[in-house]
Amino acid sequence: MRRRPRPLTVPRVLHLAAGLAVGYLLVPLVGLVGNVPWRELPRLLGDPLVLDAMRLSAITSIGATVLAAVLGLPLAVVLARSSFPGRRLVRGLVLLPLVLPPVVGGAALLFALGRGGILGAPLYRATGLVLPFSTAGAVLAATFVSLPFLVVTVEAALAGLDPRRELAAATLGAGSWTILRRVTLPAVAPSVASGLLLTWARALGEFGATITFAGNLPGRTRTLPLAVFVALEHDRPKAVALGLLLVVVALGVLVALRGRWWRTS
Amino acid sequence: MSRSWRRARTARPRLRSPGIVVLVALLAACGGDGRTTLTVSAAASLADAFGEIETAFEARHPDVDVILNLGGSATLREQILAGAPVSVFASADLETVSDFVEEGRFERWVVFASNRLTIGVPAGNPAGITSLRDLARPDLAVGLCAPEVPCGRVARRVLDAAGVDVRPVTEELDVRALVTKLEAGELDAGLVYRTDVPAAAIDEVPLPTGLPADTEYVIGVISGGPESELAGRFVRFVRSRDGERILERHGFGR
Amino acid sequence: MVADVVTGGLEARVVVERAALDVALELPPGRTVALLGPNGAGKSTILEALAGVLPLDEGRIVFDGVVFDDAHRVFVPPAERRFGVVFQDLLLFDHLDVVENVAFGLRARGMGRTAARRRAEAWLERLEVLALARRRPTELSGGEARRIALARALAAEPRALLLDEPLGAVDVTGRIGLRRVLADHLAAFPGPRLLITHDVTDAYLLGDLVVVVEGGRVVQRGTPDDIRLRPRTRFVADLAAVDLFEGEAHAGTVRLGDFELTVADTAASGAVVVRIHPRAVALHAERPAGSPRNVWRTTIDRVEAQGDRVRLRLGAPLALTAEVTPAAVATLGLRPGAAVWVAVKATEIDVEAR
């Protein structure tokens, strides 16, 4: 099939720059994959400490996704469907973890939810619960950084939804809960799904806030990214093997999201 | 508060990737004002002392711009192995650079300072720690450095020698991160360097003299690194009376 | 099936500033009020205000003696008004199949899934679309989707019906069947019915009363004949002056009482509506030669000057309206009582099944 000629509307030099960008994204991947010790891979990935980290990453990323859903879905709905003073401010606040260095987020969590923090101190006095250095803390850290992904995705989908459809449901006698459950959420279900997947992926990759807030202890808070970092200090092949694992997971997420989050056409 | 933030930033992960090497090279090339640049990689615990040494050295050599590349010793080591154009490397222990010594990656090297581990506690010592043995108390949140980094290695050596079984709640990858969490009061105790105490909002409970809590800092000129002659002069300055005085003021031993 | 016995009508004064709208409406029970007007007249806004999806800025809505909206203190939300609404863009639920769409109102009011579905299927059958039960709204034609929207509104057991262009965007064949179904269900519905349309035929055939809205104001109200015979604005005159006759079609002719017209549509047969636009009616002093098949002689009943045009009401055998220029009036000596020859081309006569 002959390619149809198209009038050139993009300066040629942009193609060159674009090629450079692609190269810059590709070269590190090639570097990583080129360093993978394929033969040792089963042993490296079967290491009990690595399995510990995988288990922990599964727990924390899924936990963070569930928590983000519980907190984030109502927020997305309220942001998209109600008007209240300070809504723009709240929307900015939601975006903050996206642009904030995760370490700063972790430090902020420490000052808020730590044993001496503004919320953590009363919690500790009342229940003896200490969130830093606990798996729950790792979940909270991952939730903090990944929550925006869910809220932003779902809110955007809701904003693109004709609110008159919900009003039509109201004329049929549906109350607000029925409308939410039977009209609004089903209509944005695909976006909720991709938002949850993105949230999970971000939670899985979380490093900075986790190490700052939850510390680094094998079996309790040392998730896969932390394990990669520790391994880089003394066991480079293991670090590369874990890195490969995370790359494969990330590619899986992208494949699952194709045509939704990014266009395939 | 502001100090904690700065320290939290020092604890930021530094990935040893080709990208970092490029970054270090860019840093090194930044002396665009005609001065010769000298890149010095130094252990994070040397940050304050080497900052002063940098100023003093530059005052003496106006044509030289010293660039400090601070980080965990193991991280810095990996950068150099990956080809970062570093002239001088100051490591927090000899173990980290043992192969540098054996394989001749150091043109010259010397032990130039010593440090000592101490029990760091939040200001006022709220948990009432009096001895190393207290660190085994199950009701305390104790933090150590990870065994993969120098401060963690020394900590385990000390604990083994004392026969104290500590269950840490976290293994920090950088002594500064440990100090931050002590300052925040999230940890009741942690084994940190003596030199970390004065500048931080924490107190210390010194370890008894019998324990192997001392650690030696090694500085060396990288073989085949850029500006090796100038690098040698920098190392000599660190070991000069002026350099030693700065190190002493920051709590380092000789 | 209808839970509440409707005794009262719907009375409203609807003021919506954004749409520059201020109209008063009275919808008696058991009657269909056709709301006629050009695009942008504010017809849909009126419906949305009555349905409760758009609050009033001023005015009030009273249904069966109960205030639904007084623009200040009282606002009864749409779910509690129980009005059956067909929106112009239908707003079917794309993620639900047709049965679930129709059962939605019943289920929202707490009816069990199976019972609601059974009831919905009965409505689909009444509207002759049971075969579409498992389809998604995106898989329906315009006419089919309108029937589903109507079924959805009716199934929810509403106390009033508010229909926005229920025959819009439907092709001619679909339109005929749909109009018949609509006429049947409107007639059977005991509550007030509002039918929005911009088509005078629909207003004439389905409306008991017609309210004409232009530029956010009611410009005329009355029976369809009032509107047709005594138009008060250019828009109404334009629309209403189109003469409508009911007749019987057979093989290219339509019989209107004693009179017979030749039409281009040879396929039409049975009960039809015939539409003739005044501009399609040509007047001549002498019997015209040539092709027109429909030629007859009549007298002029009335002459109405309307700006740059003149409308002439023609007498027996067919009460037609003709539109000519003032110059033609002078040339042909057109005045009440004058005799003229009338010619209407077969191709200018619209025939539509009733």
Side-chain angles (χ1 to χ4, degrees):
Chain A
M1 196 164 54
R2 196 175 77 94
R3 281 181 64 186
R4 289 177 49 204
R6 265 189 312 183
L8 192 68
T9 52
V10 178
R12 272 181 208 288
V13 68
L14 282 200
H15 288 104
L16 192 73
L20 277 176
V22 170
Y24 182 63
L25 294 173
L26 206 57
V27 165
L29 271 185
V30 172
L32 182 77
V33 174
N35 270 299
V36 171
W38 297 104
R39 227 174 273 160
E40 290 176 83
L41 211 52
R43 181 185 63 75
L44 289 170
L45 293 180
D47 180 294
L49 275 176
V50 169
L51 293 176
D52 251 6
M54 286 185 195
R55 182 183 56 83
L56 202 58
S57 267
I59 292 171
T60 55
S61 60
I62 292 171
T65 308
V66 169
L67 196 56
V70 169
L71 297 174
L73 284 178
L75 179 56
V77 172
V78 168
L79 276 176
R81 283 291 183 266
S82 342
S83 57
F84 53 90
R87 183 165 76 154
R88 290 158 66 102
L89 219 62
V90 172
R91 192 174 278 138
L93 191 67
V94 168
L95 294 176
L96 195 62
L98 279 182
V99 288
L100 199 68
V103 204
V104 177
L109 281 175
L110 206 57
F111 299 136
L113 301 177
R115 213 166 48 165
I118 48 171
L119 280 180
L123 182 75
Y124 175 59
R125 277 197 301 273
T127 63
L129 200 64
V130 182
L131 290 172
F133 317 120
S134 69
T135 305
V139 171
L140 289 178
T143 307
F144 183 79
V145 297
S146 59
L147 184 61
F149 286 84
L150 185 69
V151 177
V152 168
T153 314
V154 175
E155 198 210 329
L158 287 170
L161 207 64
D162 186 355
R164 295 177 65 243
R165 206 171 300 277
E166 290 154 36
L167 292 170
T171 66
L172 291 165
S176 52
W177 275 111
T178 309
I179 294 173
L180 185 68
R181 195 172 52 80
R182 296 209 58 215
V183 178
T184 314
L185 288 182
V188 294
S191 294
V192 172
S194 58
L196 285 173
L197 194 58
L198 276 176
T199 303
W200 175 76
R202 177 64 188 91
L204 184 69
E206 165 43 33
F207 176 88
T210 306
I211 199 163
T212 313
F213 178 60
N216 167 41
L217 193 71
R220 200 186 300 174
T221 59
R222 185 185 292 173
T223 54
L224 280 174
L226 271 68
V228 171
F229 194 74
V230 172
L232 274 171
E233 300 282 352
H234 71 118
D235 188 352
R236 181 176 276 233
K238 188 188 281 176
V240 174
L242 287 172
L244 180 74
L245 179 70
L246 288 170
V247 167
V248 168
V249 171
L251 287 176
V253 168
L254 287 181
V255 168
L257 285 174
R258 76 189 180 286
R260 294 239 98 246
W261 192 45
W262 49 293
R263 292 171 184 281
T264 42
S265 59
Chain B
M1 189 75 172
S2 66
R3 170 182 295 138
S4 307
W5 284 94
R6 188 168 58 77
R7 289 186 188 283
R9 290 187 69 83
T10 349
R12 281 213 71 173
R14 293 165 209 88
L15 274 179
R16 271 163 298 165
S17 67
I20 289 296
V21 176
V22 171
L23 204 66
V24 173
L26 283 174
L27 277 175
C30 270
D33 53 1
R35 292 190 293 170
T36 312
T37 58
L38 183 72
T39 306
V40 176
S41 288
S45 48
L46 291 168
D48 295 340
F50 266 46
E52 265 186 57
I53 286 177
E54 174 191 2
T55 312
F57 185 77
E58 283 174 352
R60 215 158 290 193
H61 302 272
D63 55 334
V64 177
D65 182 15
V66 174
I67 290 177
L68 273 187
N69 177 36
L70 297 163
S73 299
T75 307
L76 299 174
R77 172 197 131 88
E78 292 291 332
Q79 287 175 2
I80 294 165
L81 288 177
V86 172
S87 301
V88 177
F89 180 21
S91 159
D93 70 355
L94 187 55
E95 202 170 334
T96 302
V97 288
S98 58
D99 55 347
F100 275 48
V101 172
E102 282 156 22
E103 294 163 19
R105 285 179 192 274
F106 273 147
E107 196 178 294
R108 278 162 288 160
W109 64 277
V110 65
V111 172
F112 71 100
S114 71
N115 209 341
R116 187 171 169 76
L117 229 51
T118 188
I119 304 171
V121 293
N125 194 1
I129 309 258
T130 55
S131 73
L132 191 61
R133 207 151 291 283
D134 286 341
L135 268 52
R137 268 163 56 185
D139 60 317
L140 296 188
V142 176
L144 298 177
C145 286
E148 291 84 6
V149 298
C151 62
R153 270 197 292 273
V154 184
R156 274 157 189 81
R157 195 170 72 205
V158 167
L159 291 169
D160 284 350
V164 177
D165 183 20
V166 171
R167 297 272 161 80
V169 296
T170 183
E171 294 178 349
E172 296 295 328
L173 290 162
D174 183 318
V175 68
R176 298 277 169 157
L178 195 53
V179 170
T180 304
K181 281 161 186 161
L182 286 169
E183 284 182 314
E186 297 305 331
L187 293 172
D188 295 306
L191 289 177
V192 300
Y193 291 123
R194 211 172 60 185
T195 52
D196 292 314
V197 177
I202 61 172
D203 289 336
E204 69 170 321
V205 179
L207 291 171
T209 43
L211 292 170
D214 291 303
T215 167
E216 288 179 324
Y217 285 70
V218 174
I219 192 166
V221 176
I222 303 296
S223 302
E227 305 294 340
S228 62
E229 191 270 333
L230 192 58
R233 237 186 296 163
F234 183 84
V235 171
R236 276 199 298 283
F237 178 74
V238 171
R239 303 200 58 217
S240 70
R241 289 272 319 140
D242 288 341
E244 282 184 349
R245 254 202 296 274
I246 292 172
L247 287 165
E248 270 169 29
R249 207 166 44 245
H250 285 276
F252 291 96
R254 305 182 58 172
Chain C
M1 207 90 322
V2 177
D4 303 33
V5 177
V6 182
T7 55
L10 185 58
E11 286 164 46
R13 180 170 161 248
V14 177
V15 179
V16 179
E17 279 154 17
R18 178 166 54 75
L21 184 74
D22 184 349
V23 300
L25 281 179
E26 208 173 311
L27 310 180
R31 295 285 156 123
T32 301
V33 173
L35 197 57
L36 185 66
N39 286 331
K43 304 188 298 285
S44 296
T45 310
I46 295 170
L47 176 133
E48 288 182 357
L50 295 177
V53 303
L54 183 73
L56 292 182
D57 290 329
E58 285 298 329
R60 59 201 265 128
I61 294 168
V62 181
F63 177 72
D64 202 8
V66 180
V67 176
F68 275 14
D69 191 347
D70 69 354
H72 296 290
R73 280 152 298 138
V74 182
F75 180 79
V76 174
E80 289 161 33
R81 296 191 186 194
R82 297 196 52 180
F83 290 169
V85 186
V86 171
F87 292 89
Q88 190 173 359
D89 49 353
L90 307 183
L91 301 172
L92 293 172
F93 306 126
D94 290 343
H95 62 282
L96 299 176
D97 67 12
V98 161
V99 181
E100 284 296 330
N101 263 279
V102 176
F104 189 92
L106 295 168
R107 292 196 57 194
R109 294 217 165 89
M111 187 182 280
R113 187 185 156 88
T114 319
R117 287 180 71 98
R118 204 171 308 135
R119 193 81 67 85
E121 280 165 5
W123 274 106
L124 290 174
E125 189 154 24
R126 256 170 264 173
L127 291 170
E128 300 163 18
V129 279
L130 186 56
L132 307 174
R134 300 273 165 240
R135 297 246 195 110
R136 291 290 170 124
T138 48
E139 301 163 342
L140 301 174
S141 74
E144 288 167 347
R146 279 182 157 67
R147 283 180 194 235
I148 305 309
L150 186 63
R152 186 177 70 168
L154 287 167
E157 297 173 358
R159 300 188 289 192
L161 275 183
L162 309 172
L163 314 177
D164 195 348
E165 301 278 6
L167 295 162
V170 180
D171 59 48
V172 176
T173 28
R175 200 179 173 86
I176 294 157
L178 185 53
R179 188 191 288 138
R180 182 180 42 74
V181 166
L182 195 57
D184 290 349
H185 283 94
L186 283 173
F189 185 79
R193 292 97 69 151
L194 181 73
L195 176 93
I196 291 182
T197 180
H198 65 273
D199 186 315
V200 71
T201 314
D202 295 337
Y204 180 73
L205 290 177
L206 297 172
D208 299 314
L209 297 163
V210 178
V211 175
V212 184
V213 178
E214 280 181 61
R217 299 288 182 278
V218 172
V219 293
Q220 194 167 359
R221 61 182 95 217
T223 63
D225 278 341
D226 288 341
I227 304 294
R228 198 160 65 84
L229 298 173
R230 283 174 286 283
R232 275 197 222 135
T233 67
R234 169 66 62 87
F235 165 77
V236 186
D238 260 0
L239 274 183
V242 175
D243 287 303
L244 296 169
F245 304 98
E246 295 182 22
E248 293 288 322
H250 176 71
T253 64
V254 176
R255 173 149 289 283
L256 310 167
D258 296 337
F259 195 74
E260 200 171 75
L261 278 175
T262 304
V263 297
D265 184 353
T266 52
S269 92
V272 293
V273 178
V274 169
R275 267 187 307 236
I276 303 173
H277 195 278
R279 278 193 284 271
V281 179
L283 300 180
H284 304 269
E286 307 292 331
R287 185 188 175 94
S291 63
R293 308 279 289 280
N294 301 308
V295 176
W296 69 92
R297 196 173 159 77
T298 186
T299 51
I300 293 167
D301 268 4
R302 207 161 73 224
V303 178
E304 296 166 8
Q306 290 195 337
D308 57 345
R309 295 173 296 174
V310 177
R311 283 248 162 93
L312 307 164
R313 301 282 179 197
L314 306 177
L318 194 63
L320 269 184
T321 306
E323 189 177 292
V324 295
T325 61
V329 173
T331 323
L332 295 172
L334 302 173
R335 59 182 189 282
V340 285
W341 283 92
V342 182
V344 182
K345 284 187 189 166
T347 48
E348 300 273 10
I349 301 171
D350 282 339
V351 181
E352 200 173 295
R354 254 185 293 155

